[in-house]
Amino acid sequence: MLRIPCPHCGERDATEFHYGAAAGVDYPTDPAALTDGEWAAYLFVRANPRGWFRERWFHAAGCRLWFHVERHTVTDQVRTVREGAA
Amino acid sequence: MGDVLDLRRSPLAGRGFGVDSPRLRMAEEPFRSLVEVRSQARPEAAGVGATWCWQLGPTWWLVDGAPATEPCLEVPLAGVVRSGNEGASAVDVSAQRTTVVLAGENAERVLAHGCPIDLSRVPVGGCVQGLLVGAQVAIGRTGDDAFRVYVRPAFARHLAAWLTDAAVEDL
Ligand SMILES: [Zn+2]
């Protein structure tokens, strides 16, 4: 079982969380100005690295807060955790 | 008009749920007065007549008081938590959960059968939210061997059936 360290509740089973995918993907400032290709890139294109990856998690069954985790996609080791929704 | 409260039906009414043995007691406490508070500071719940105040998140609290004929904690709590703090709120959520109480030397053991959270690290007065046999619950510790489990009505029968079964070896 993958274990996720919630900054408020401590380490819990991943089944208590909702996965929020890559962190740091900002909503376009003027979405209407984007081409279809740029919009598709915003929606779907992610780095998908083999290694350290910054991602968002939501503690759905616990404190119901969003936070950031830096996780190694091969080992599932977690390096840093930060509170905050954005 | 008869007593309108006679028309209420708790989620576990008529299910035969309950245990009263030397090492384990389990029962539903229906119709508790529950209020969720959003506030930076712990609300002064005792001052408005509430019994328990559990921390559900960094700024999220669940206040638990005795059953009443109408929402009785929301207005006084809102007055307390909003004084000097416009962002705070108090909302009556009595119908959102029912309460199951467990007590006795085996109470923690029974819960541990279905809960991956280490309850031995929860102090008296402390509360954890998480999954108990798949049901989202808040578990508050009221004593060394006493707990209150707050569960959604839709999951209460599932939880009660599981507790009844899980407790067989711990009576
Ligand atoms: Zn949490």
Side-chain angles (χ1 to χ4, degrees):
Chain A
M1 170 72 76
L2 175 58
R3 300 269 287 172
I4 303 296
C6 169
H8 176 70
C9 306
E11 193 176 280
R12 297 286 187 88
D13 287 355
T15 48
E16 292 189 7
F17 297 83
H18 174 76
Y19 184 55
V25 181
D26 292 333
Y27 189 74
T29 45
D30 186 5
L34 298 187
T35 65
D36 285 353
E38 288 168 333
W39 180 248
Y42 160 70
L43 288 180
F44 304 118
V45 179
R46 297 293 183 267
N48 194 25
R50 178 184 172 85
W52 291 105
F53 185 48
R54 278 207 312 126
E55 58 195 13
R56 304 196 309 143
W57 287 86
F58 176 57
H59 198 181
C63 60
R64 299 194 65 79
L65 288 180
W66 283 96
F67 57 97
H68 291 231
V69 162
E70 197 176 7
R71 180 178 63 93
H72 198 285
T73 55
V74 178
T75 64
D76 278 338
Q77 186 189 351
V78 170
R79 190 157 68 181
T80 59
V81 177
R82 182 169 68 75
E83 290 186 54
Chain B
M1 187 174 146
D3 187 350
V4 69
L5 297 186
D6 291 342
L7 300 174
R8 291 194 301 189
R9 196 173 159 79
S10 80
L12 297 181
R15 307 302 295 189
F17 174 70
V19 161
D20 190 357
S21 76
R23 290 181 295 170
L24 180 68
R25 293 178 301 285
M26 300 195 296
E28 182 192 22
E29 277 191 13
F31 310 128
R32 297 288 297 180
S33 296
L34 303 176
V35 176
E36 280 191 19
V37 170
R38 291 285 183 169
S39 157
Q40 295 287 336
R42 173 178 288 272
E44 294 293 336
V48 298
T51 319
W52 311 102
C53 178
W54 307 108
Q55 183 164 21
L56 301 183
T59 61
W60 187 17
W61 313 82
L62 179 67
V63 176
D64 177 347
T69 54
E70 57 195 55
C72 60
L73 296 176
E74 180 186 79
V75 170
L77 267 173
V80 170
V81 301
R82 296 195 67 194
S83 65
N85 185 357
E86 279 301 303
S89 67
V91 177
D92 187 275
V93 294
S94 301
Q96 285 190 1
R97 298 175 179 88
T98 190
T99 308
V100 174
V101 293
L102 288 88
E105 62 180 283
N106 282 341
E108 185 174 323
R109 207 175 111 91
V110 170
L111 291 174
H113 285 318
C115 185
I117 303 167
D118 185 359
L119 295 170
S120 69
R121 297 174 61 179
V122 179
V124 174
C127 182
V128 288
Q129 280 201 102
L131 297 177
L132 176 59
V133 285
Q136 199 278 332
V137 294
I139 304 174
R141 185 190 280 269
T142 57
D144 287 338
D145 55 6
F147 297 88
R148 301 178 73 77
V149 180
Y150 301 88
V151 61
R152 305 286 174 175
F155 286 88
R157 280 191 257 165
H158 157 68
L159 181 64
W162 178 83
L163 282 171
T164 303
D165 185 50
V168 165
E169 295 181 3
D170 296 311
L171 299 178

